[in-house]
Amino acid sequence: MSEAARGVWGAAPPRASTSDSGPGSVDVDDVRAARELLGGVAVPTPLIPSRVLSEQIGGPVLLKCENLQRTGSFKIRGAYVRIARLSERERAGGVVAASAGNHAQGVALAASMLGCKATVFMPVGAPLPKIAATRGYGAEVVFPGPTVDDCLVAAQEYADECGAVFIHPFDHPDVVTGQATIGLEVMEQCPEARTIVSPVGGGGLLAGVAAAVKGLAKETGGGDVKLVGAQAKRAAAFPPSLAAGRPTQIGIERTMADGIAVGRPGELTYAMFTELVDAVVTVTEESISQALLLCLERAKQVVEPAGAAGVAALLEHGYAVEPPVVVLLSGGNIDPLLLSKVLRHGLAGAGRYLVVRCRLKDRPGALVTLLSELAELGVNVLDVMHERMAARLHVEEAEVLMHLETRGADHSEDVIGRLREKGYTLTLS
């Protein structure tokens, strides 16, 4: 990666020892064995080209659709490998997990397939479809607190008290090895890939993919593939951890990307990042919402906000990557109500959705005139609220709150300018 690119993506992680006995060296043969174990369980997911992203960065971009995986995310891979490698005695005692939803579903399904009881701790406010799906796979669901970190603590305490095996969402070699099977698929589907961009929460997905990809390159003498992680800016634990030289706990803010809202990297995944991952970038809520909208409109893929973080990274910093680029869509489990809100957020960010308060004279025909003028400007009026009696209004005034759909940022600016030219007082929300 060029020095200019490093300046955009942030400093590369400090390199750890490359000894084969180190925690970052996941053997490619172990990953191949995990893929055999996952035969008939995890499906090989498609790699589809994105013309719009390819045009933006000036080279091929392909999307790895783990949103189409069983349970709607990549998590079944690591969960199944971990539980399958338990002894019969361990499985008889049951398993316990902590998750915002995707790992929960992966553990619940894997446990049901392998005949053991699963208890899952999920944060209060977890998306309802993820809760319903986890229960649908047969797991008992418990809500100990508002964050994934609260759930991790509660799940570990439950494991210590009840003897169940704790299935960590990212910080265990078997889990990482299961996720690493995605790396094998990517390099088989796109051997010419030069950059892989992945969402990052605790780091298990990208750590595994990096181990597989760089291990294959070492075996075959292939070219160097850059591995880039994308974290939500409001929940980005890796950059401060890498700067500090150790896994560091941070306070996370509320983010739509709940699936990657993890306050501290794992010991294993942190060590693997320092050895194998080239850079980590943070992305804004606006970029995430626009990425989700792009996936839906242009790629016809339903992706949850966390799963779209890699696409958001290209939207913000696409000029800093080397194509061909593979972007991992890590999951597609999104509440329909949240989807509608995020899409509106993305449309607003793209300048295609306006919320406007407009003052007008309180006289017959005034609202009809305003709506007619909007129609002439090619605006689609989605909703109108008409208010005539409020302390902020003069006796002869009325106010309408309008939700408008436009053709883009330039069209929106033109509409606002034209209405103001006609004497309307506008307030943008």
Side-chain angles (χ1 to χ4, degrees), residues 284-296:
T284 65
E285 299 295 290
E286 290 72 22
S287 292
I288 293 171
S289 63
Q290 289 182 46
L292 189 147
L293 177 63
L294 183 149
C295 288
L296 184 63

Side-chain angles (χ1 to χ4, degrees), residues 131-418:
I131 297 170
T134 302
R135 286 176 170 154
Y137 291 127
E140 179 184 352
V141 178
V142 183
F143 305 98
T147 71
V148 173
D149 294 295
D150 294 327
C151 296
L152 286 169
V153 172
Q156 188 62 65
E157 291 175 350
Y158 178 90
D160 294 340
E161 293 172 3
C162 302
V165 177
F166 178 49
I167 308 300
H168 200 284
F170 50 84
D171 208 35
H172 190 279
D174 287 340
V175 173
V176 172
T177 302
Q179 323 303 25
T181 58
I182 298 172
L184 296 183
E185 289 182 21
V186 167
M187 297 315 295
E188 289 168 356
Q189 294 168 317
C190 184
E192 66 276 15
R194 304 301 298 160
T195 307
I196 297 175
V197 184
S198 170
V200 172
L205 172 59
L206 185 56
V209 170
V213 169
K214 301 220 168 181
L216 283 173
K218 190 174 182 181
E219 274 189 355
T220 63
D224 187 24
V225 180
K226 303 301 181 185
L227 282 299
V228 176
Q231 291 206 287
K233 193 171 186 177
R234 293 181 177 179
F238 266 99
S241 296
L242 294 168
R246 64 184 185 280
T248 301
Q249 181 72 44
I250 65 164
I252 60 177
E253 300 177 48
R254 187 172 181 84
T255 171
M256 67 178 73
D258 62 287
I260 54 174
V262 178
R264 184 181 186 277
E267 297 289 338
L268 171 64
T269 55
Y270 173 83
M272 294 182 71
F273 265 55
T274 62
E275 181 178 339
L276 300 168
V277 174
D278 293 277
V280 178
V281 65
T282 61
V283 294
T284 65
E285 299 295 290
E286 290 72 22
S287 292
I288 293 171
S289 63
Q290 289 182 46
L292 189 147
L293 177 63
L294 183 149
C295 288
L296 184 63
E297 280 194 322
R298 306 303 296 272
K300 313 309 177 191
Q301 297 297 314
V302 176
V303 183
E304 61 190 280
V311 175
L314 289 192
L315 294 180
E316 286 196 41
H317 313 292
Y319 54 86
V321 300
E322 181 182 355
V325 180
V326 174
V327 182
L328 307 185
L329 305 181
S330 59
N333 294 312
I334 183 168
D335 186 322
L337 293 177
L338 175 61
L339 177 60
S340 66
K341 293 178 183 177
V342 174
L343 288 178
R344 187 173 65 181
H345 195 270
L347 287 168
R352 294 167 51 191
Y353 184 88
L354 286 175
V355 179
V356 180
R357 289 187 180 274
C358 180
R359 295 279 180 96
L360 62 162
K361 297 295 183 180
D362 185 16
R363 62 189 183 199
L367 179 58
V368 171
T369 300
L370 172 62
L371 296 177
S372 298
E373 289 169 346
L374 288 170
E376 290 177 5
L377 292 169
V379 176
N380 185 25
V381 180
L382 302 176
D383 194 16
V384 176
M385 292 183 61
H386 191 194
E387 188 169 23
R388 299 176 64 245
M389 290 183 290
R392 65 181 179 277
L393 298 175
H394 295 299
V395 174
E396 73 279 4
E397 284 185 327
E399 185 176 79
V400 291
L401 174 64
M402 301 180 293
H403 293 232
L404 309 176
E405 182 183 12
T406 70
R407 295 190 295 271
D410 291 343
H411 187 210
S412 294
E413 290 180 8
D414 182 52
V415 168
I416 293 167
R418 295 279 294 278

Side-chain angles (χ1 to χ4, degrees), residues 37-39 41 75-85 106-107 109-111 113-114:
L37 190 59
L38 287 167
V41 177
K75 290 289 192 177
I76 183 62
R77 296 176 184 259
Y80 189 89
V81 171
R82 174 77 172 102
I83 297 172
R85 288 180 174 170
V107 168
L109 177 58
M113 296 176 75
L114 292 164

